[in-house]
Amino acid sequence: MLFALLVIAAAILWPDAWRSGSGNAANTPTAQGEPTAQTLPELTADPQALTADDNPHVSEMQNPLTRALDGMLASHGEVFKDSENGLRDQIEDADRRLSGVKSEIRSAMKNANRQIRIPGQNSPLVMLVVLEGVTKDELGFYGEPGKTPLLEALAEQGTVFESCYAGPTVDIARFMLETGSGFSKGKARDNRIAEMMWNSGYRTILVDGANWMSAHDRRQYDEDVLAVVDEKTGLPTKLRFNGAEAKIVSNLNEDADDNVSTTELLVGQSRELLQNRPTKRPVYVEFHFSVTSHDQEIRTQQIAEIDQSIGRLFHAMHVARSGRSMVMVVAGLPGADQPQKKGVLSESNLQVPLMIYRSTKNNVAKIEEPCGLLDVLPTLAGVITSSRVPPHNGMSLLPWMDGKPTSSRRFRWTNPSDEDQFAIRQGPWKAIFGSSQQLFFLPDDPRELNNVAAQHPQVLQGLSGSGPNRTKMNF
């Protein structure tokens, strides 16, 4: 049928001059060898003279060939009036098939550039756990032991970073984590961590309970699991997997006894992917958890549930590792509506949790030297010895973890609502410049209660300059 449609299209659209042959007078040169002048059609201002062709059909087809056929069918509907609907259905089906073939070709071309990794110490299984809205004091390996026992057990074998910095806002912190770079206005946030892991030959999985990533951010994951949460109940109502969607029926009825939490739902899906869908590639799994409640009792319950879930996920990864080593990074993000206790540039607002576990290394237990979320990307690049590392301005934390620290850096933040106010952190010192100058010696004053600017003017002056190894966190 489509072949017949193409023949009819050729008959309708074939130029008259070609059909009439080369002897047509319109194409014959004059005796003097000059071509006959072309006559332009008259323009008319009469609206009654306009035809349907003056309002061209807008096709929804995705491909040029099927779009042209669809336009021809709309323009010459009288020719196909007895079979127009059937023809359009066939064109739509052909358009879907053609789009699918193109997508497969693009995917094959993209995969051709993807590394094939050899099993071994340089191809560990990698977990990145992102805790949004969870502060350092709420995790047992920073605050009181016993709050998060499973994370604490992993932290005992890993490295805890005492001074990991994000940005003044959650958007800046997300940017730093994903790109490995300081934030600047107007700069696109590309998901460079997932891109690096995918290009380096990893099977990439996103398990998302926070839902802040855009469709653009999600492109680099082979499997994308998202829980859609009802804002009123806090329960997931839908589960999306690679675009397909399913309702969580147990959370839509009136019986609260069979409700399923977001964390429980995502952990179940993750274990299904890891244990029942084996792959020859090493696995990179990125988990996003979010704690948004301001009620302390609810927060404690949610964090305890996340701790148990991370333990189950770690066990699932351990079962699926096939002899590979394991690396887990636990990184925090400030909450989207997290209250600021002191100021936008205060330590309580800028610092976030960071812990890294490695199964095959003896790790330094705690690192006091300042670092940032932008250091996660180059650290993972070092862990997997990637040759596909995207541009960044972070620094690998592996030398510190191996007991071989490098030179100290100077971090700088700008207040997003007051660009004349900025903060500098280098070594044990923290300075804030603006309408007034403040200086704090953080080992003795972690809560920034004692301004010692008057006692140490030389330190303040030294921090006010540009200085070596300066890393702009946002600008």
Side-chain angles (χ1 to χ4, degrees):
M1 181 65 75
L2 283 176
F3 177 76
L5 189 60
L6 288 170
V7 173
I8 297 171
I12 294 174
L13 302 178
W14 199 280
D16 290 339
W18 296 0
R19 282 184 287 177
S20 59
S22 59
N24 191 303
N27 295 317
T28 305
T30 62
Q32 289 79 15
E34 297 177 356
T36 304
Q38 298 289 327
T39 303
L40 296 176
E42 276 190 25
L43 299 177
T44 176
D46 183 6
Q48 302 298 324
L50 297 177
T51 67
D53 291 337
D54 296 303
N55 296 294
H57 169 69
V58 179
S59 177
E60 295 181 357
M61 304 297 168
Q62 302 299 313
N63 301 280
L65 175 61
T66 51
R67 196 158 49 239
L69 290 172
D70 187 42
M72 184 199 66
L73 189 61
S75 300
H76 303 280
E78 68 281 355
V79 179
F80 314 105
K81 60 183 179 180
D82 294 333
S83 57
E84 180 176 356
N85 291 335
L87 288 173
R88 178 160 280 109
D89 290 342
Q90 292 189 48
I91 294 174
E92 289 176 354
D93 181 63
D95 185 67
R96 285 191 294 269
R97 290 172 180 266
L98 187 55
S99 295
V101 170
K102 285 184 175 181
S103 177
E104 291 176 2
I105 292 174
R106 283 193 292 267
S107 179
M109 293 175 66
K110 187 178 178 183
N111 272 284
N113 192 43
R114 196 175 185 182
Q115 283 185 342
I116 301 297
R117 300 193 68 88
I118 300 174
Q121 190 171 350
N122 293 332
S123 298
L125 302 190
V126 180
M127 293 174 60
L128 173 60
V129 179
V130 181
L131 303 177
E132 182 167 326
V134 178
T135 65
K136 291 171 61 177
D137 292 340
E138 293 175 304
L139 298 175
F141 52 84
Y142 282 111
E144 299 177 11
K147 290 183 176 180
T148 49
L150 294 175
L151 278 174
E152 290 164 39
L154 292 170
E156 287 179 0
Q157 304 174 56
T159 301
V160 176
F161 294 85
E162 295 287 346
S163 301
C164 177
Y165 288 94
T169 67
V170 66
D171 288 332
I172 293 174
R174 292 168 178 170
F175 185 97
M176 292 168 58
L177 178 64
E178 283 196 331
T179 67
S181 300
F183 174 83
S184 63
K185 295 178 181 178
K187 189 176 180 180
R189 187 185 75 195
D190 295 321
N191 192 348
R192 292 180 180 172
I193 282 188
E195 178 186 10
M196 177 186 71
M197 301 302 291
W198 194 95
N199 286 330
S200 299
Y202 273 74
R203 172 192 178 190
T204 54
I205 303 174
L206 173 65
V207 183
D208 188 3
N211 197 14
W212 53 263
M213 277 191 166
S214 66
H216 178 78
D217 294 329
R218 297 173 179 274
R219 295 177 305 160
Q220 300 296 339
Y221 298 101
D222 294 306
E223 286 135 315
D224 177 4
V225 181
L226 170 66
V228 180
V229 179
D230 185 285
E231 293 183 0
K232 293 182 179 179
T233 65
L235 296 173
T237 56
K238 297 177 183 177
L239 181 70
R240 292 176 184 163
F241 177 72
N242 286 359
E245 187 174 281
K247 291 183 179 180
I248 312 302
V249 178
S250 61
N251 289 349
L252 297 175
N253 57 32
E254 296 181 357
D255 186 1
D257 293 336
D258 57 356
N259 284 345
V260 179
S261 70
T262 301
T263 304
E264 184 181 357
L265 177 68
L266 292 178
V267 168
Q269 292 299 312
S270 304
R271 296 177 71 179
E272 164 71 20
L273 288 174
L274 292 170
Q275 296 178 356
N276 298 332
R277 299 192 182 191
T279 177
K280 293 182 179 180
R281 294 186 179 275
V283 179
Y284 166 75
V285 190
E286 192 172 318
F287 300 98
H288 290 193
F289 297 106
S290 178
V291 177
T292 58
S293 175
H294 296 303
D295 184 284
Q296 191 56 52
E297 184 176 350
I298 295 176
R299 291 183 64 86
T300 301
Q301 292 174 352
Q302 290 178 339
I303 293 171
E305 184 181 18
I306 290 173
D307 178 66
Q308 294 293 319
S309 299
I310 292 173
R312 294 197 296 271
L313 293 170
F314 183 85
H315 179 262
M317 289 281 283
H318 189 272
V319 170
R321 67 176 183 163
S322 301
R324 298 180 189 268
S325 58
M326 291 181 60
V327 174
M328 183 172 73
V329 179
V330 178
L333 291 174
D337 58 349
Q338 184 171 308
Q340 296 174 3
K341 297 179 181 179
K342 289 190 64 176
V344 69
L345 298 179
S346 66
E347 290 291 285
S348 60
N349 192 55
L350 291 175
Q351 285 200 22
V352 292
L354 180 64
M355 186 273 289
I356 301 178
Y357 163 88
R358 294 182 296 177
S359 63
T360 59
K361 293 280 187 176
N362 293 322
N363 304 297
V364 174
K366 289 190 176 182
I367 303 294
E368 300 287 346
E369 182 68 22
C371 65
L373 288 181
L374 74 176
D375 297 327
V376 172
L377 185 151
T379 301
L380 289 180
V383 163
I384 66 173
T385 59
S386 175
S387 61
R388 309 290 179 87
V389 185
H392 63 85
N393 60 0
M395 183 179 293
S396 174
L397 301 175
L398 295 180
W400 278 275
M401 297 175 65
D402 293 333
K404 303 172 182 178
T406 59
S407 58
S408 176
R409 285 177 292 172
R410 176 176 296 191
F411 292 102
R412 185 184 192 277
W413 301 266
T414 301
N415 186 337
S417 58
D418 181 6
E419 295 186 357
D420 292 330
Q421 186 184 48
F422 62 95
I424 301 287
R425 168 76 196 267
Q426 185 172 20
W429 297 98
K430 163 85 173 289
I432 300 177
F433 299 92
S435 57
S436 63
Q437 296 182 344
Q438 304 173 67
L439 181 66
F440 306 99
F441 187 68
L442 294 179
D444 294 341
D445 185 22
R447 299 187 181 276
E448 301 169 290
L449 301 175
N450 185 22
N451 182 4
V452 295
Q455 293 92 316
H456 301 278
Q458 292 181 338
V459 174
L460 190 67
Q461 183 178 0
L463 291 174
S464 64
S466 58
N469 298 327
R470 182 178 63 165
T471 299
K472 289 185 176 181
M473 306 297 263
N474 68 299
F475 48 95

